[in-house]
Amino acid sequence: MEKKISTAVVRRLPRYYRYLSELLENGIDRISSQELSRAMNVTASQIRQDFNNFGGFGQQGYGYSVEVLKEEIGRILGLDQQFRVIILGAGNLGQALAGYGGFARRGFIMSALFDVNPEKIGQKVGDLVVRDMKDLARYVRENTVHIAALTLPKAKAPEVAKTLTDMGVHAFWNFAATDLKLPSDAVVENVHLAESLMRLSYNIVNQSRDE
Amino acid sequence: MEKKISTAVVRRLPRYYRYLSELLENGIDRISSQELSRAMNVTASQIRQDFNNFGGFGQQGYGYSVEVLKEEIGRILGLDQQFRVIILGAGNLGQALAGYGGFARRGFIMSALFDVNPEKIGQKVGDLVVRDMKDLARYVRENTVHIAALTLPKAKAPEVAKTLTDMGVHAFWNFAATDLKLPSDAVVENVHLAESLMRLSYNIVNQSRDE
DNA sequence: TAGATTGTTAATCGATTAACAATC
DNA sequence: TAGATTGTTAATCGATTAACAATC
């Protein structure tokens, strides 16, 4: 069995992927851990350790093929697959997620958008039409749903998440300012913007400590 | 001089703050590290270590006053201050940030919203009117700006960030999918949604590893 | 072959957990 | 005073960095 990959590594993988994409766009097809190290502000040692969690992708004396490395990391991240994402809550944030085209390029298809507000239901948001939250169960039954993005008030989020897990959806991209209590086979990625902003203000207020 | 606080601790502080706020709302005015530990899924030991980075807020044999603790952590995070935030880019995400009322409660005042698109300029978004990006320099000169939220395309972000740092703004909430190269006295908090989504898909694809 | 750079083991560093004396 | 729980030191664990043998 494979060894457990730490969350620290998983946090870095998408960033590697992004850098490698940029390199490829700039026509750079080969790179050493040391060059990557300078560009990304991590140690070359860490880069090699990270990659070797998944087996070596490089060649001694040569370095890494940018294309191969990008491909492999993409595969590790699941970017060779397609994920169908439904968005719960058609507020500003839900609409922003629905409208942003960049996700589709990585295989994340925003496939439906739900809300309870009668004024929003039926409205177009990007390619999607806002659906009635009442139709959620039927939609999930009739369509494949890999990921549910929760962009609804924190009071509503746990209840909707519960409904969804009961119907077999077990991956959540959670923007609601609460920690979901979910079955152990559920996967959650939290995006707590208010907390992010507080970390920023911490660093502003305590800036002198770092210098 | 104070000891350096690790980023791991800083990441946890806003979550403590959120929990304490909830406890207070529920009328709970006293808690032990052990109770908090169970509620938050961290060890009691870690909680006490975290708090003691800033001096003890508790009382032996009693525990912590929820109100005092919340107050103190809030102060550490800078929530006793007001921060004026300008938003660069009035796309869906910029509008979402401008429209969300929750930030103001914590002292983050969304005070202006800029875009280059003539069709957007002049439109109302929540309480704000979209301003012309050309007026940015004048605005910054004439108004206090603590934080700049960058919700613009990654191609534009570095240039705008540069302009802002030159004008003395040195705290950035960066939503653009790029790493800003900024002076060392700048403070940056990145929110890379695409990377967040990739971590989620990683965990979906590699779920069996964890179980 | 010589030079370069990986893959991998060993050393170090830092963060988390455990333990317990201090004290309310 | 006895019981409870913090504050803090010591032990452990895991992640990062350094070093170098393997090898392209």
Side-chain angles (χ1 to χ4, degrees), chain B residues 153-168:
Chain B
K154 80 173 184 184
K156 287 290 172 65
E159 174 197 327
V160 173
K162 175 75 166 64
T163 306
L164 286 163
T165 51
D166 288 348
M167 302 196 64

Side-chain angles (χ1 to χ4, degrees), chain A residues 5 11 15 18-19 76-77 92 96 106 173 179 185 187 189 195-196 198-199 201-202 206-207, chain B residues 5 11 15 18-19 76-77 92 96 173 179 185 187 189 195-196 198-199 201-202 206-207 209:
Chain A
I5 305 300
R11 253 203 299 276
R15 188 154 171 265
R18 174 159 55 80
Y19 257 82
I76 291 163
L77 290 169
N92 285 315
R106 268 80 194 260
W173 199 19
D179 292 325
D185 68 333
V187 174
E189 169 77 16
E195 295 185 11
S196 170
M198 289 184 217
R199 286 192 289 273
S201 65
Y202 173 88
N206 300 283
Q207 196 169 20
Chain B
I5 305 301
R11 253 203 298 276
R15 187 153 170 266
R18 174 159 54 81
Y19 257 83
I76 291 163
L77 289 169
N92 284 313
W173 199 18
D179 292 325
D185 68 334
V187 173
E189 169 77 16
E195 295 185 11
S196 171
M198 291 184 215
R199 286 192 289 273
S201 64
Y202 172 88
N206 300 280
Q207 198 168 18
R209 287 179 196 237

Side-chain angles (χ1 to χ4, degrees), chain B residues 77-146:
Chain B
L77 289 169
L79 304 184
D80 56 340
Q81 304 178 31
Q82 289 219 333
F83 295 91
R84 299 185 70 84
V85 183
I86 59 172
I87 302 167
L88 291 307
N92 284 313
L93 191 54
Q95 294 189 27
L97 299 183
Y100 180 58
F103 300 135
R105 250 189 308 121
R106 268 79 195 260
F108 300 95
I109 314 298
M110 303 292 153
S111 55
L113 174 58
F114 293 87
D115 206 293
V116 291
N117 184 341
E119 297 193 358
K120 282 183 181 157
I121 294 164
Q123 279 190 13
K124 275 209 95 172
V125 174
D127 296 338
L128 302 178
V129 173
V130 179
R131 293 167 190 259
D132 191 332
M133 195 72 87
K134 287 197 190 104
D135 298 335
L136 176 60
R138 186 156 52 84
Y139 182 91
V140 174
R141 230 179 292 120
E142 293 173 3
N143 297 274
T144 303
V145 175
H146 299 104

Side-chain angles (χ1 to χ4, degrees), chain A residues 128-152:
Chain A
L128 303 178
V129 173
V130 179
R131 293 167 190 259
D132 192 333
M133 194 71 87
K134 288 197 191 102
D135 298 334
L136 176 59
R138 185 156 54 82
Y139 182 91
V140 175
R141 231 180 292 120
E142 294 173 1
N143 297 273
T144 302
V145 175
H146 298 104
I147 296 171
L150 304 177
T151 59
L152 25 76

Side-chain angles (χ1 to χ4, degrees), chain A residues 3 5 10 17 21-22 36 38 45 58-59 78 86 88 96 105 117-118 139 164 166 176 179 185-187 196 202 208:
Chain A
K3 91 172 89 121
I5 305 300
V10 177
Y17 185 82
S21 303
E22 283 175 16
L36 202 50
R38 269 194 294 270
S45 205
Q59 197 169 311
I86 60 173
L88 290 308
R105 251 190 307 121
N117 184 342
Y139 182 91
L164 287 162
D166 288 348
D179 292 325
D185 68 333
V187 174
S196 170
Y202 173 88
S208 55

Side-chain angles (χ1 to χ4, degrees), chain B residues 33-38 42-49 64:
Chain B
S33 56
Q34 196 178 122
E35 291 167 301
L36 201 52
S37 155
R38 270 193 295 270
V42 289
T43 64
S45 205
Q46 181 165 72
I47 288 172
R48 293 202 299 279
Q49 287 280 17
Y64 299 88

